[in-house]
Amino acid sequence: MVVDTHVHVVGDESRYPLNPPGVGSNWFREAPVDVEQFSRVMDEAGVDRAVLVQAMGAYGFDNDYVLDAAATDPGRFKSVVIVDVAGDPDAAAKTLRALAADRGADGVRLFALGDDWIGAPETAVIWRTAADLGLLVVATLLAPQLPSLAKALGRFPDMPVALDHCGFPDLTGGPPFPGADPLLALADHANLHLKVSCHLLETLDDPADLVDRLAAVFGAERLMWGSDFPQTHDRPYPELVDLGRRACARLSPVDQSAFLAGTALTLTPW
């Protein structure tokens, strides 16, 4: 089985208007893929299930399409939404409760690129709300924000957390990746899991070098593959899946299974 833990989808603009806040690239105009198209390429690539992650760059805090897309096939898709925690944590918590109760949201993406609010005491309400609702927390931040994340991990040690793109670590110089030390320093937080995305893997001569290093420090059972499709669209989707398979090729069969599906199924059970 293969589970893609990081996919963005974009709907018909007449029904789901784009609302880009100016974050990231223009991928949602260059290579938009709706859920029906994505389901077909999943079949072609041999991918069984996927986590649909709210595309901040395309829609901001409007989660309508990611929720509607996941609802087209709940046996195949999970949804992760974004709420405006930085703007008003209490209002964000109320919104999250509604999205979970009324729309079936499965997780919340704490989108904190370039900001340290993720570990601030005043945002603890969103963590408590996610815990109450049984939602997966997905953290999206840059390496300088990892110390702030560490505070939250320590404050909520029983809350499973997935880190998008491994926190965008510095991988220059290749193995043993000394620039990634701020990420590796978080390995003692047993509740932290890493999304090892094609956004990172495609930058390396041998993607297995990164997975081997992360598995040695975190354990393969805390790693999971994500394509980042179609934000990452420099190659067809089946080739992104193949990149994920090559990245875990040196792991044991059991650990390969965890990387490609098992970890994801534990965090977001279907």
Side-chain angles (χ1 to χ4, degrees):
M1 175 176 283
V2 178
V3 178
D4 189 342
T5 65
H6 199 92
V7 177
H8 303 298
V9 286
V10 177
D12 180 352
E13 193 169 359
S14 65
R15 182 176 176 187
Y16 302 97
L18 294 171
N19 185 32
V23 176
S25 69
N26 208 31
W27 64 269
F28 49 87
R29 297 190 190 278
E30 298 169 353
V33 174
D34 65 24
V35 69
E36 290 81 11
Q37 293 169 319
F38 179 61
S39 188
R40 290 194 292 271
V41 297
M42 284 176 72
D43 292 338
E44 296 170 7
V47 172
D48 301 281
R49 298 173 185 171
V51 180
L52 306 181
V53 178
Q54 169 70 354
M56 182 69 172
Y59 292 117
F61 300 110
D62 181 351
N63 295 283
D64 276 353
Y65 188 61
V66 73
L67 290 164
D68 285 352
T72 64
D73 192 345
R76 194 170 212 194
F77 300 121
K78 294 289 186 182
S79 62
V80 174
V81 299
I82 301 178
V83 292
D84 188 7
V85 181
D88 185 335
D90 291 323
K94 183 177 180 180
T95 298
L96 183 59
R97 286 190 180 277
L99 292 175
D102 301 337
R103 304 289 302 277
D106 300 294
V108 58
R109 190 183 195 197
L110 303 185
F111 199 89
L113 289 182
D115 199 325
D116 286 333
W117 61 257
I118 200 165
E122 57 268 26
T123 63
V125 62
I126 202 70
W127 292 82
R128 291 194 299 269
T129 301
D132 289 346
L133 297 170
L135 302 181
L136 174 66
V137 169
V138 178
T140 308
L141 44 77
L142 301 175
Q145 282 79 59
L146 290 174
S148 185
L149 176 63
K151 294 177 183 177
L153 293 170
R155 194 175 293 128
F156 299 95
D158 298 322
M159 168 67 75
V161 177
L163 180 58
D164 275 347
H165 311 295
C166 298
F168 298 93
D170 179 2
L171 303 179
T172 56
F177 305 106
D181 283 350
L183 170 66
L184 304 181
L186 300 185
D188 288 342
H189 293 281
N191 52 331
L192 180 63
H193 304 74
L194 306 182
K195 283 194 199 177
V196 188
S197 65
C198 288
H199 176 83
L200 301 176
L201 298 174
E202 68 176 0
T203 67
L204 303 170
D205 292 335
D206 187 344
D209 288 338
L210 177 60
V211 172
D212 288 354
R213 179 70 172 130
L214 295 175
V217 177
F218 286 86
E221 72 280 0
R222 291 166 62 189
L223 309 181
M224 48 191 166
W225 169 75
S227 68
D228 192 41
F229 183 76
Q231 181 161 294
T232 296
H233 59 273
D234 62 329
R235 65 197 76 187
Y237 183 69
E239 293 184 20
L240 294 175
V241 178
D242 181 63
L243 181 59
R245 292 185 183 278
R246 287 190 287 115
C248 67
R250 295 201 292 253
L251 301 180
S252 71
V254 170
D255 287 348
Q256 288 182 37
S257 179
F259 180 75
L260 293 172
T263 303
L265 292 173
T266 298
L267 295 181
T268 53
W270 266 263

